[in-house]
């Protein structure tokens, strides 16, 4: 069984909602759309207070090449353009829409029929993807059309679809493959066409045998697509780890990117969004979100309109338990702890995880006993104990020399440390500072 | 409700591993060797072990409380108990109480707490204690009781250890090696020596347990054992009368104990697999050099001690292989 070569851990999988079919979540009363829910420049609002919008109406225009447009997920009236606390915990500008009815733009094909044929040119596909506001749906939220437009001198050789869902608890991608296998495969074919390659791999971890079986059966009808079962190991969903696992190539240290080894990596949710955008004219305004947690009454997977407050999903899954200690947007390894449950679902919200106060408490950090376990689990071959110590001592020069910029913030080191050291807190500090220093240096040149 | 939520950075889950789990894991791994020592040396072994552990824990507690004046006591993490057991394992079973207590004081006081406690000490504390005693009390530290005198302690009769015989052989005594116990007896532990080092078999059980529980990785013990085997084997091929067989080297003295429990001490060994192998090979090599050509019959302690000193240097030069250094295929 294939997997990546360096480090890795195996946290308890806790896929509580794996057997729960996707349910459609009721419309919210008000939907909130932060203008910056992707990597790159924030979008600019093109609606103002009082404007009437439909489901699928563009409400914010991309703010540059590396940026993405935003579409309304509801019909109704714009209430205001104001600041909201988003998943990052900061106040960011957002569009508030009061929901009235459920009227869709006529251009969207709402029929459930599978449309397999796609006769567009690669350029037309990329344009359509861009016009649908699609970003990476695994959590990184990098605009998809940028990844499909390789920089000069680079040539894509294959598309790799990330369907490993290596974060514990999350099951959105798993359910998507079980329920929308054909749509996903058509989406992958379209992505391959857009990237001008003939080979596509779908990497799925071995803890989803039903998805592997179904996808492998269906993939026979789609030329060039191969299903690659992978050993269960975190962080296999990391772009670089996935490429290593699937085609055995290692992306060199930053600033190199996957395309440098000929790979275009896309999330399986993104492939589905691409299908809907290209074949059904449907921009990105809804997604599947896992709502889960051990103390939650019924962990579920919901098809959710963007802008819905997380509290509504939690209520639909049985309500916030009394002993809640932490609410996390995303999975337990890389997700963000939220300040409140009114945070809206965005393009990159793959899950909402509720932890009770016992699970949520961090143990007290003890002195490093130099056991070297953090070093052996780091998937990037770094020395987390050293990076953390150097960062704590603000020795930025050495932090940079020890390759802090390669850290993918997967958290494996801190997960493993028997002394419960807050390694990643310090490494993030070091990475942020060194990143700033590098940018300043490049600006001077 | 909202203001009650905990906000912290990811990761939000932990493996559940802890310092205690690892330390108590090592203690469990030491049990087989401990039982063998009780069987071989009876009362003496019990007295020496209990004294050493009690003294180590006491000194750790007293120094933390009265000298360092720290709030939190560290005796529960189990590391002082390990130091106590390992120190006892490195002593003959007829050693008087007061010498053991001095050893414990040096191990914990000088070897560990002067540097700031667990995690900061450059040398393995038990080793510091043992080497101090070996230099200060060479006579008491090098007379080992014959096995299976169950009820005697300091009054036990002593005999020459296999290592001493091996040294005599190197020095030119052509009959010395013939007096060596059978290799099988060496393997099982039926020969005089320090408490915990006699039975290679029991120590190997401990190694298996620690590997299974992922407390340590294979790199250090295997590289030490392999190096000793190869070096001793070459010498044996050159002159079988003067140089004992590689298996005899592996199963005698503190070699197994050192390779499995002393050299693998987290704090004082290198941080990367590459570094661990460099460290292990160097220890194995130095041990054989001291055993065959040095003044002492046993070289394990000194070899580990020397390499402890090199660990920071090894850490500087042996970096893990970074992801993406090589683009394969
Ligand atoms: S968070 Fe960074 S340093 Fe820690 S294991 Fe992951 S890549 Fe390595
Ligand atoms: S895992 Fe923790 S205790 Fe072990 S070396 Fe790394 S930082 Fe130190």
């Amino acid at each position: 069984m294939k997997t990546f070569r360096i480090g890795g851990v195996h946290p308890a999988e806790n896929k509580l909602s794996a057997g729960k079919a996707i349910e459609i979540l009721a419309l919210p009363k008000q939907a909130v759309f932060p203008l910056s829910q992707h990597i790159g420049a924030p979008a600019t609002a093109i609606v103002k207070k009082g404007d009437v919008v439909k489901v699928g109406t563009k409400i914010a225009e991309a703010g540059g090449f590396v940026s993405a447009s935003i579409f309304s997920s509801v019909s109704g009236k714009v209430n205001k353009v104001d600041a909201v606390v988003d998943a990052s915990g900061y106040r960011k500008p957002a569009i508030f829409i009061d929901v009235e009815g459920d009227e869709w733009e006529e251009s969207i094909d709402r029929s459930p029929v599978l449309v397999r044929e796609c006769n567009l040119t690669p350029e037309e596909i990329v344009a359509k993807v861009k016009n649908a506001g699609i970003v990476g749906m695994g959590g990184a939220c990098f605009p998809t059309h940028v990844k499909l437009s390789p920089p000069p001198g680079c040539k894509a050789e294959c598309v790799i679809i990330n369907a490993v869902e290596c974060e514990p608890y999350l099951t959105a991608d798993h359910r998507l493959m079980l329920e929308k296998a054909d749509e996903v495969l058509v989406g992958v074919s379209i992505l391959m066409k857009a990237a001008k390659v003939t080979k596509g791999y779908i990497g799925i971890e071995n803890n989803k045998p039903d998805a592997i079986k179904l996808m492998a059966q269906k993939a026979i009808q789609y030329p060039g697509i191969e299903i690659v079962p992978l050993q269960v190991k975190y962080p296999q969903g990391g772009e670089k780890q996935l490429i290593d696992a699937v085609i055995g190539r290692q992306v060199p240290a930053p600033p190199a990117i996957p395309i440098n080894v000929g790979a275009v990596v896309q999330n399986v949710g993104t492939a589905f969004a691409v299908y809907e955008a290209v074949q059904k004219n449907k921009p990105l305004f809804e997604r599947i979100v896992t709502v889960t947690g051990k103390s939650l009454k019924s962990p579920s997977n919901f098809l959710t309109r963007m802008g819905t407050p997380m509290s509504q999903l939690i209520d639909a899954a049985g309500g916030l338990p009394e002993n809640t200690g932490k609410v996390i947007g995303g999975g337990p390894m890389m997700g963000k702890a939220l300040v409140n449950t009114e945070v809206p679902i965005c393009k990159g919200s793959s899950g909402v995880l509720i932890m009770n106060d016992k699970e949520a408490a961090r143990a007290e950090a003890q002195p490093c006993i130099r056991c070297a376990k953090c070093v052996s689990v780091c998937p990037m071959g770094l020395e987390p104990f050293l990076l953390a110590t150097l960062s704590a001592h603000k020795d930025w020069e050495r932090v940079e020399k020890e390759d802090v910029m390669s850290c993918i913030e997967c958290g494996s080191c801190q997960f493993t440390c028997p002394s419960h050291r807050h390694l990643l807190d310090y490494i993030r500090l070091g990475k942020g500072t060194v990143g700033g220093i590098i940018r300043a240096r490049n600006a001077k040149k | 409700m909202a203001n009650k939520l905990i906000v912290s950075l990811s990761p939000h889950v932990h493996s559940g591993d802890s310092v205690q789990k690892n330390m108590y894991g090592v203690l469990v791994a030491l049990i087989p060797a401990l039982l063998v020592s009780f069987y071989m040396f009876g009362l003496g072994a019990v007295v020496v072990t209990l004294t050493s552990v009690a003294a180590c824990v006491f000194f750790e507690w007293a120094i933390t409380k009265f000298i360092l004046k720290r709030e939190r006591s560290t005796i529960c993490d189990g590391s002082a108990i390990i130091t106590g057991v390992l120190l006892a394992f490195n002593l003959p079973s007829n050693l008087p109480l007061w010498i053991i207590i001095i050893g414990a004081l040096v191990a914990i006081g000088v070897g560990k707490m002067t540097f700031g406690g667990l995690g900061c000490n450059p040398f393995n504390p038990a080793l510091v204690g043992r080497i101090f005693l070996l230099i200060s009390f060479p006579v008491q530290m090098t007379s080992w009781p014959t096995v299976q005198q169950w009820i005697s302690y300091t009054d036990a009769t002593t005999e020459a250890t296999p290592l001493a015989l091996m040294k005599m052989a190197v020095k030119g005594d052509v009959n010395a090696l013939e007096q060596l116990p059978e290799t099988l007896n060496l393997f099982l532990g039926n020969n005089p020596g320090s408490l915990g080092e006699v039975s290679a078999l029991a120590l190997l059980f401990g190694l298996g347990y620690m590997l299974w529980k992922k407390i340590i990785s294979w790199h250090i013990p295997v590289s030490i054992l392999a190096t000793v085997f190869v070096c001793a084997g070459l010498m044996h091929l050159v002159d079988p009368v003067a140089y004992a067989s590689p298996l005899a080297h592996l199963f005698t003295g503190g070699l197994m104990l050192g390779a499995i429990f002393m050299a693998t001490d987290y704090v004082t060994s290198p941080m990367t697999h590459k570094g661990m192998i460099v460290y292990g090979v160097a220890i194995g090599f130095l041990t054989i050099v001291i055993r065959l050509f040095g003044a002492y019959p046993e070289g394990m302690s000194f070899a580990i001690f020397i390499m402890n000193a090199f660990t920071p240097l090894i850490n500087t030069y042996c970096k893990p292989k970074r992801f993406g250094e090589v683009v394969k295929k």
Side-chain angles (χ1 to χ4, degrees), chain B residues 292-316:
Chain B
L292 299 184
F293 311 112
Y296 283 89
E298 174 57 309
M300 196 64 194
S301 312
F302 293 111
I304 299 177
F305 196 77
I306 292 169
M307 290 317 293
N308 279 175
F310 278 103
T311 293
L313 193 70
I314 295 178
N315 281 338
T316 309

Side-chain angles (χ1 to χ4, degrees), chain B:
Chain B
M1 174 84 262
N3 48 15
K4 238 179 61 188
L5 292 179
I6 299 175
V7 178
S8 61
L9 294 171
S10 65
H12 305 286
V13 281
H14 191 268
S15 59
D17 200 1
S18 68
V19 177
Q20 282 86 340
K21 270 193 193 166
N22 285 290
M23 295 299 167
Y24 290 115
V26 174
L27 283 173
V28 170
L30 285 165
I31 288 176
L34 192 65
L35 293 180
V36 171
S37 79
F38 289 167
Y39 177 74
M40 293 296 170
F41 303 109
L43 182 69
V46 178
V47 174
V48 172
T49 313
L50 287 182
T51 313
S52 169
V53 170
C56 282
V57 172
F58 170 77
F59 287 128
E60 170 129 350
W61 171 81
I63 293 173
T64 316
K65 182 150 176 144
F66 298 113
I67 300 182
L68 298 177
K69 299 209 165 49
R70 285 191 193 152
E71 291 277 307
R72 230 182 65 183
S73 173
T74 46
I75 51 172
C76 296
D77 67 20
S79 60
I81 307 178
I82 295 185
T83 303
V85 176
L86 285 180
L87 178 64
F89 271 22
N90 277 293
L91 305 175
S93 62
N94 60 349
L95 202 67
L97 286 186
W98 60 276
I99 297 189
I100 303 173
I101 294 174
I102 292 178
L105 178 62
V106 173
I108 295 291
V110 179
K112 184 173 175 190
M113 302 313 281
T114 36
F115 296 100
L118 182 65
C120 308
N121 47 304
F123 298 104
N124 185 332
L127 209 55
V128 174
R130 173 191 150 100
I131 291 182
F132 176 83
L133 292 184
L134 187 64
I135 296 171
S136 316
F137 307 97
V139 179
Q140 290 92 329
M141 283 292 287
T142 51
S143 65
W144 285 277
T146 313
V147 291
Q148 289 174 355
Q149 312 176 64
W150 284 319
I151 43 160
S152 44
Y153 172 37
T154 44
D155 51 343
T157 46
T158 58
E159 90 180 81
T161 62
L163 267 184
L165 294 171
M166 282 153 69
K167 195 84 205 179
M168 281 153 68
V170 175
K171 294 234 176 82
D173 183 343
V174 286
N175 299 321
L177 284 187
E178 282 164 22
Q179 298 167 35
L180 268 187
E182 300 251 333
T183 309
L184 181 65
N185 270 338
L186 290 175
F187 183 62
L188 295 177
N190 201 1
N191 58 81
S194 296
L195 269 192
E197 66 185 27
V198 287
S199 171
L201 177 66
L203 292 163
L204 283 171
F205 267 121
L207 175 65
Y209 180 80
M210 291 199 292
L211 290 178
W212 174 50
K213 287 282 177 189
K214 299 218 169 81
I215 294 171
I216 57 167
S217 65
W218 57 269
H219 303 81
I220 295 176
V222 170
S223 56
I224 295 180
L225 298 179
T227 310
V228 167
F229 187 85
V230 171
C231 293
L234 286 177
M235 295 307 285
H236 184 64
L237 287 181
V238 172
D239 184 354
V241 177
Y243 302 113
S245 77
L247 281 183
H249 271 286
L250 282 183
F251 299 153
T252 48
L255 200 111
M256 283 285 168
L257 178 64
I260 296 170
F261 288 103
M262 311 282 287
T264 55
D265 171 44
Y266 283 156
V267 184
T268 55
S269 61
M271 300 294 281
T272 64
H273 293 162
K274 221 189 296 171
M276 289 175 186
I277 289 177
V278 170
Y279 172 85
V281 168
I283 289 178
F285 181 73
L286 284 174
T287 303
I288 288 298
V289 168
I290 299 175
R291 276 189 180 185
L292 299 184
F293 311 112
Y296 283 89
E298 174 57 309
M300 196 64 194
S301 312
F302 293 111
I304 299 177
F305 196 77
I306 292 169
M307 290 317 293
N308 279 175
F310 278 103
T311 293
L313 193 70
I314 295 178
N315 281 338
T316 309
Y317 288 104
C318 294
K319 291 281 162 190
K321 198 164 118 239
R322 305 278 197 238
F323 184 98
E325 265 180 5
V326 279
V327 184
K328 250 187 65 181
K329 213 172 177 188

